[in-house]
Amino acid sequence: NGNTQERYQLVVDRFLSCMGKKSKALISNISHRDILRFIKSRKDAGLASKTVLVDTKVLGTAFRLAKRLGLSQHNPVDKAQALKPLKSTSSVREPFTPEQVSDLLKAADEEWKTVIMFGYFTGARLQDCASMQWDDVDFKHSVIMKRNTKSGKDKSLRMSKEVTTILMDQRTLLDSETDAMRNSVFVFPRRDGGKRNPDGWRKNVKEICIRAG
């Protein structure tokens, strides 16, 4: 699908960037040493072992296709894996620290600053933010009906002063926008008032994280 193709293209682009001048060479000239250099660069970037392993598998798939097409007689990824096997270890995701959130806010535009702050103070997932509707917000009783799109279970969330301010500012912002956004049932709508695509948002988040370092 489109997401898989984009993922593959991103890995190939990173590999070519790591290759430097050799990126213009024939595929048959790429050796296992080039693969090992790429793997090392990914590890040095602080990526999880699972991510490095997935990237390496993507390259392996690309070189297997090249071999079937007669563009190369060997798959350098196989030799690299044989010499230095990669192992994937489970990683534990931890919440952003206040300092990291501050860095993200500096790297984000105004729209994303609102979403980041809302997610930080509520723990809401991107998919939950995308599907959140104004009917879920009860300003009078300072409560949000949190629709968990992953578990399917709804629960109420007491709004803190910070969350109340964020949502009131968001309501004011939408009221100053287009009719479609002003009349949208969603708290964080698209320009046409429709529901946001969580996958597109995830890509935006990654870009903001990269800019924030």
Side-chain angles (χ1 to χ4, degrees), residues 102-148:
S102 178
D103 290 338
L104 289 172
L105 292 174
K106 292 176 184 176
D109 58 26
E110 289 302 317
E111 178 184 14
W112 266 107
K113 287 179 181 179
T114 302
V115 179
I116 290 171
M117 291 299 292
F118 181 80
Y120 180 68
F121 282 110
T122 64
R125 299 164 63 245
L126 281 177
Q127 192 163 339
D128 296 327
C129 291
S131 61
M132 184 178 173
Q133 301 182 19
W134 286 112
D135 283 347
D136 302 329
V137 182
D138 185 345
F139 283 111
K140 182 178 180 180
H141 299 96
S142 297
V143 170
I144 296 175
M145 181 55 68
K146 194 174 181 182
R147 300 179 180 182
N148 192 312

Side-chain angles (χ1 to χ4, degrees), residues 76-86:
V77 176
D78 290 340
K79 186 172 182 179
Q81 285 278 55
L83 293 172
K84 292 186 178 181
L86 285 172

Side-chain angles (χ1 to χ4, degrees), residues 45-209:
L47 297 174
S49 58
K50 183 176 181 180
T51 300
V52 178
L53 180 59
V54 170
D55 285 357
T56 305
K57 287 183 176 179
V58 168
L59 284 182
T61 299
F63 279 105
R64 278 193 293 274
L65 176 60
K67 189 176 180 180
R68 288 200 299 270
L69 293 175
L71 300 175
S72 179
Q73 298 300 313
H74 68 292
N75 185 340
V77 176
D78 290 340
K79 186 172 182 179
Q81 285 278 55
L83 293 172
K84 292 186 178 181
L86 285 172
K87 295 182 180 180
S88 174
T89 57
S90 299
S91 59
V92 178
R93 292 186 179 182
E94 297 181 355
F96 286 113
T97 65
E99 292 75 18
Q100 289 172 328
V101 172
S102 178
D103 290 338
L104 289 172
L105 292 174
K106 292 176 184 176
D109 58 26
E110 289 302 317
E111 178 184 14
W112 266 107
K113 287 179 181 179
T114 302
V115 179
I116 290 171
M117 291 299 292
F118 181 80
Y120 180 68
F121 282 110
T122 64
R125 299 164 63 245
L126 281 177
Q127 192 163 339
D128 296 327
C129 291
S131 61
M132 184 178 173
Q133 301 182 19
W134 286 112
D135 283 347
D136 302 329
V137 182
D138 185 345
F139 283 111
K140 182 178 180 180
H141 299 96
S142 297
V143 170
I144 296 175
M145 181 55 68
K146 194 174 181 182
R147 300 179 180 182
N148 192 312
T149 52
K150 190 172 184 179
S151 67
K153 297 180 180 179
D154 296 345
K155 64 178 181 180
S156 60
L157 173 70
R158 177 67 61 179
M159 286 195 291
S160 64
K161 292 181 179 179
E162 292 85 357
V163 173
T164 299
T165 299
I166 290 169
L167 290 177
M168 291 182 70
D169 288 347
Q170 176 67 2
R171 182 66 270 175
T172 300
L173 174 65
L174 293 181
D175 286 341
S176 67
E177 293 289 344
T178 63
D179 288 341
M181 297 182 74
R182 181 165 51 251
N183 298 322
S184 176
V185 300
F186 297 104
V187 176
F188 303 107
R190 299 193 311 253
R191 296 295 300 178
D192 63 0
K195 180 181 176 181
R196 292 280 187 176
N197 181 347
D199 290 332
W201 264 13
R202 291 187 185 95
K203 182 179 179 181
N204 293 144
V205 170
K206 290 179 181 179
E207 292 173 350
I208 293 172
C209 286

Side-chain angles (χ1 to χ4, degrees), residues 14-33:
R14 284 170 175 163
F15 175 67
L16 292 175
S17 177
C18 181
M19 290 280 290
K21 294 181 179 180
K22 197 174 180 180
S23 63
K24 303 296 183 180
L26 295 174
I27 294 179
S28 56
N29 291 337
I30 298 175
S31 71
H32 69 281
R33 295 184 184 85

